[in-house]
Amino acid sequence: MSETYKPGAVDLTGEDIHWDQDVSYGQYLGLDKLLDCQTLRSDQHDEMMFIIIHQASELWMKLSIHELTGAMEQIRRDELGPAFKMISRIARIQEQLIQSWNILATMTPSDYLKFRDSLGQSSGFQSYQYRIIEFSLGNKNPGMVEVHKAHPEIYRQVRAALDTPSIYDLTLKLLYDRGFNVPTDKLSRDWSEPYVASAEVEQVWQQVYAMADKYWDLYELAEKLVDLEHRFQSWRFSHLKTVERVIGYRRGTGGTGGVSYLSKALELQFFPELWSVRTSL
């Protein structure tokens, strides 16, 4: 080897380091507040990891909502290029959310049971950001907003996501505006109710897929939505298996059946015709 190993600190000679900053890294990121949010309710080692995993997930969900809101506005304007970038970014965020379950799965049942009572009745079921994402993707359920009634501003945000068109509703409106025969009952309805699959809508997607070269941007939008749902379901599955691994079939702290409740969610679809069209092509 021609180079000589030199132990010690990096040589800063010639570097123009800003030792005094008008805005420091910590100030810009608000680290004094962010790193002071991990309040343990027990003396158990694994509680720190449990809290940080869930807090980090909420930050990723905040970014997902930001990107999803932007993508929906671009679809509304029929400006699909920027929407594609935003949806692709959400897919990368979902990878981080899925990976978080792998970290949480390092906690054994006995580790968790040592501090589980400290959670009281708090539960991920109560995550209002998760509910906003779910409603924005189209999994509407009016009953799910009731858990947030005690918090007026949060309730308002969740209710707004429930009562406005989902990303799939906006996509169907775009198809209609482009001249496709989308049934009118899919364009004006009670947005707080779950979307019901339609044979006519499946036929519209058949046209898009059969002539992908002609309708390339709509075809790409469809595939990005499929990818979005695929990753969301992968997150749900990882959640289910992690819960099963750590607490088995105990009831959740928020009152749900735990694994039995999570398994029901795996049966739901956001964009049904984008899945059924694969069989009918």
Side-chain angles (χ1 to χ4, degrees):
M1 296 177 63
S2 59
E3 296 183 4
T4 303
Y5 172 67
K6 297 180 180 180
V10 174
D11 183 5
L12 297 180
T13 302
E15 304 294 339
D16 187 19
I17 305 298
H18 298 296
W19 298 111
D20 297 314
Q21 310 93 13
D22 54 351
V23 179
S24 71
Y25 174 80
Q27 289 171 326
Y28 178 73
L29 295 178
L31 292 183
D32 55 338
K33 296 179 181 178
L34 184 64
L35 299 180
D36 194 39
C37 291
Q38 294 72 49
T39 305
L40 276 65
R41 294 175 176 267
S42 76
D43 59 358
Q44 298 304 310
H45 177 84
D46 279 18
E47 189 180 4
M48 177 65 80
M49 182 268 293
F50 186 86
I51 289 173
I52 288 176
I53 287 292
H54 286 83
Q55 288 180 339
S57 294
E58 289 292 332
L59 286 173
W60 284 125
M61 283 192 275
K62 181 174 183 177
L63 182 55
S64 293
I65 292 170
H66 177 70
E67 299 297 336
L68 187 55
T69 301
M72 290 169 69
E73 181 57 31
Q74 296 300 326
I75 292 171
R76 193 192 307 273
R77 297 177 184 176
D78 195 356
E79 297 175 358
L80 297 186
F84 293 156
K85 178 180 178 180
M86 294 168 186
I87 297 173
S88 294
R89 182 173 291 165
I90 296 170
R92 299 299 178 270
I93 295 168
Q94 289 174 309
E95 291 177 4
Q96 300 301 315
L97 289 167
I98 293 168
Q99 177 62 24
S100 70
W101 293 120
N102 294 332
I103 301 171
L104 198 63
T106 63
M107 182 171 60
T108 67
S110 58
D111 292 333
Y112 182 50
L113 290 174
K114 288 176 183 176
F115 68 86
R116 188 178 190 240
D117 289 345
S118 301
L119 275 66
Q121 295 180 333
S122 65
S123 166
F125 178 81
Q126 300 152 9
S127 169
Y128 74 91
Q129 291 198 123
Y130 173 85
R131 202 64 62 199
I132 289 173
I133 292 171
E134 197 172 40
F135 287 168
S136 297
L137 293 177
N139 189 26
K140 302 296 185 77
N141 185 335
M144 291 295 191
V145 302
E146 299 307 309
V147 71
H148 304 294
K149 269 200 166 180
H151 308 279
E153 176 55 26
I154 290 174
Y155 180 83
R156 182 195 66 76
Q157 293 178 46
V158 178
R159 187 80 218 187
L162 179 71
D163 291 335
T164 54
S166 71
I167 192 170
Y168 195 54
D169 293 319
L170 295 175
T171 297
L172 296 184
K173 177 63 165 56
L174 175 62
L175 289 169
Y176 176 81
D177 291 342
R178 293 276 194 98
F180 289 92
N181 189 28
V182 177
T184 56
D185 66 321
K186 301 302 180 187
L187 305 173
S188 179
R189 61 184 186 85
D190 183 352
W191 305 118
S192 69
E193 292 298 323
Y195 175 83
V196 178
S198 160
E200 290 89 346
V201 171
E202 183 179 318
Q203 289 172 6
V204 169
W205 286 120
Q206 282 181 332
Q207 295 176 53
V208 172
Y209 274 80
M211 294 184 283
D213 289 344
K214 181 178 180 181
Y215 304 118
W216 182 260
D217 60 343
L218 296 174
Y219 171 75
E220 186 173 0
L221 175 59
E223 284 300 290
K224 287 195 178 296
L225 292 178
V226 168
D227 186 50
L228 194 63
E229 180 167 346
H230 185 153
R231 292 172 189 270
F232 197 94
Q233 292 289 50
S234 295
W235 181 89
R236 279 175 161 169
F237 181 76
S238 295
H239 184 186
L240 182 153
K241 298 308 290 184
T242 302
V243 170
E244 183 180 30
R245 174 173 176 164
V246 176
I247 67 169
Y249 287 81
R250 292 173 180 265
R251 295 193 69 82
T253 51
T256 69
V259 168
S260 63
Y261 171 79
L262 295 172
S263 64
K264 295 176 187 176
L266 287 172
E267 300 172 3
L268 303 173
Q269 288 185 326
F270 301 141
F271 321 126
E273 294 91 353
L274 291 179
W275 295 100
S276 60
V277 74
R278 284 158 160 69
T279 303
S280 60
L281 282 173

